[in-house]
Amino acid sequence: MQFPSLRHLFGHPRFIKFWIARVVGTIANQMLMVAVGWQMYDLTGSAWDLGLVGLFQFVPALLLTLPAGHVADRLRRNRIFAACMLLQAMVAVLLLTATMQGFASRELILGISVALGVARAFQMPAQQAIIPLLVPPGLLSQAIALAASGMQTAIIAGPALGGALYVAGAAHVYVASTALLVLACALMAAVRYDHQPATGGITLESALAGVTFLWRNKPLLGAISLDLFAVLLGGATALLPMFARDILHTGPEGLGLLRAAPAAGALAISLVLLRWPIRRRSGPLLLASVAVFGLATMVFGLSSHFGLSLAALAVTGAADNISVVIRQSLVQLDTPDEIRGRVSAVNSIFIGASNQLGEFESGATAAWFGPVMSVVLGGVGTLLVAAAWIRLFPGLARRDHLVREPARA
């Protein structure tokens, strides 16, 4: 199989340096999440506490992401990214010290979850908004697809490696994560590009420019809110330790594979999208991918066979990645650069809500109804959301061409 777009992308060294830094940093972050989740469940055995880990990451991300978007439009985005990698490395060192000296606790894990939420708040707008500055406009959609495939590769490798290392002890995971995060920090700090900071004073109107832009562009609002509700309802990541131990009867290695399965499906479909980019019927394809995500989530919730569970999670990853590529392409291609950081910040809030708040929702409903019913009901809710969005956002449902002329601010 030939990937002609890859030849062009690898001709831009600064994008490749960013791509490697993002992949390395994501591997480290995923290893960290496996260790934190398993260590919390070892300490408390509570689905509620697994949900709190997600909630404690989401709250600071919610509070800080809009200011972070303004920062991303004014400061160098590569330096913001590098600083976030360094903060996560410091978190890994703290967890290593706590594990080695025996003071790791529920409260400590919840505290470092807040720090990870702060890092996420500033990292997401910067890493999304920097891609259009590293490649020509004609390669942007392929660059987004390649970035997504690299991230999914990291999400496959990270949990699997983290689970394998955790067998030897949580400290091994934290050492490896620290080394990779420092490397990502150094690589990203070395990226060079033309920096054009946003002009004008910092006002409430300028801080909310991203919100205003999305509110006036209903197809974009529909795209990012669709992802919010789909993953909020259909995500089962926080419950994977429970499914691994109590339903599928496996250990940390199995948990790593379960966490990696969605990324395996996402990687496979992203390679297809690199060869055959989405150019037509982008709106209907986005809605269909969310419906498939909901159906596969229901299959996972009902499965008690490890192989079927892996396959269902892989399908959720493939469907979600189609949604990600379409949504990110729409946001970056339809948004002027002078407010791209702030629009990306709003998008990050939606992503953070769907992931971190979704983990809390999963933990809470699992505590009330049990993990199986929690996941199945989430899948049903995702299907209902996809159907509702056809009527609520007809412009999105009718969107045909993915690439069009950029909108004016």
Side-chain angles (χ1 to χ4, degrees):
M1 181 179 292
Q2 299 295 318
F3 298 103
S5 59
L6 289 180
R7 294 197 301 269
H8 296 87
L9 287 173
F10 278 93
H12 296 274
R14 58 188 181 181
F15 172 75
I16 297 306
K17 193 176 293 184
F18 157 78
W19 185 81
I20 294 172
R22 186 178 179 184
V23 169
V24 170
T26 304
I27 289 174
N29 177 266
Q30 291 298 307
M31 292 170 61
L32 205 57
M33 290 301 95
V34 168
V36 166
W38 197 271
Q39 193 166 20
M40 175 65 92
Y41 199 51
D42 270 342
L43 288 170
T44 69
S46 168
W48 176 261
D49 286 337
L50 288 175
L52 285 180
V53 170
L55 179 65
F56 275 57
Q57 290 183 56
F58 169 70
V59 171
L62 176 65
L63 296 176
L64 295 175
T65 299
L66 284 181
H70 218 300
V71 171
D73 282 333
R74 290 181 172 272
L75 303 181
R76 296 189 67 88
R77 293 163 185 168
N78 67 314
R79 294 178 181 172
I80 298 171
F81 189 104
C84 294
M85 294 293 102
L86 184 59
L87 176 57
Q88 292 180 68
M90 294 169 63
V91 166
V93 170
L94 175 59
L95 286 168
L96 172 64
T97 304
T99 301
M100 296 295 292
Q101 298 187 4
F103 63 87
S105 65
R106 171 181 181 272
E107 290 71 23
L108 176 66
I109 292 176
L110 293 178
I112 64 95
S113 296
V114 174
L116 292 173
V118 172
R120 180 185 179 86
F122 285 89
Q123 177 184 333
M124 291 296 290
Q127 78 177 17
Q128 290 178 27
I130 197 175
I131 297 178
L133 302 177
L134 304 179
V135 297
L139 288 176
L140 182 58
S141 61
Q142 288 87 351
I144 291 173
L146 182 60
S149 67
M151 186 176 72
Q152 299 306 332
T153 302
I155 295 174
I156 295 170
L161 182 57
L165 288 176
Y166 197 95
V167 175
H172 292 78
V173 183
Y174 299 137
V175 169
S177 297
T178 301
L180 291 176
L181 288 164
V182 170
L183 174 60
C185 176
L187 285 170
M188 200 62 206
V191 172
R192 297 289 180 265
Y193 63 93
D194 293 332
H195 174 57
Q196 298 292 333
T199 58
I202 300 177
T203 64
L204 179 61
E205 181 181 4
S206 67
L208 296 176
V211 176
T212 303
F213 179 82
L214 287 173
W215 183 255
R216 293 174 178 172
N217 289 268
K218 291 301 191 289
L220 293 187
L221 178 62
I224 65 174
S225 60
L226 176 65
D227 178 78
L228 163 67
F229 286 101
V231 180
L232 174 65
L233 296 173
T237 303
L239 302 181
L240 289 182
M242 294 187 71
F243 274 86
R245 174 179 289 180
D246 302 332
I247 297 174
L248 301 174
H249 308 295
T250 185
E253 312 97 306
L255 173 62
L257 291 175
L258 289 172
R259 288 187 66 103
L267 175 61
I269 202 67
S270 64
L271 293 177
V272 173
L273 295 179
L274 279 171
R275 179 63 181 88
W276 294 286
I278 297 170
R279 304 190 187 280
R280 301 293 303 273
R281 298 184 59 80
S282 56
L285 185 57
L286 174 62
L287 291 163
S289 67
V290 171
V292 171
F293 178 87
L295 287 172
T297 298
M298 294 170 63
V299 172
F300 170 75
L302 294 171
S303 170
S304 58
H305 186 277
F306 187 75
L308 178 59
S309 296
L310 286 177
L313 289 174
V315 173
T316 66
D320 183 57
N321 200 57
I322 293 173
S323 170
V324 167
V325 170
I326 295 174
R327 185 184 72 252
Q328 294 287 4
S329 297
L330 289 175
V331 170
Q332 299 300 333
L333 289 166
D334 288 7
T335 304
D337 182 65
E338 62 265 26
I339 61 169
R340 191 172 280 131
R342 280 162 283 181
V343 171
S344 296
V346 179
N347 189 31
S348 299
I349 291 176
F350 280 70
I351 295 172
S354 64
N355 291 325
Q356 272 71 52
L357 194 57
E359 291 184 8
F360 173 70
E361 179 271 339
S362 296
T365 55
W368 296 330
F369 307 119
V372 172
M373 185 59 67
S374 171
V375 172
V376 171
L377 289 176
V380 173
T382 300
L383 289 174
L384 295 176
V385 167
W389 256 234
I390 296 175
R391 295 184 61 86
L392 292 175
F393 298 95
L396 174 65
R398 294 193 302 265
R399 178 73 179 251
D400 186 13
H401 292 276
L402 184 63
V403 180
R404 68 181 186 184
E405 291 298 317
R408 294 182 178 181

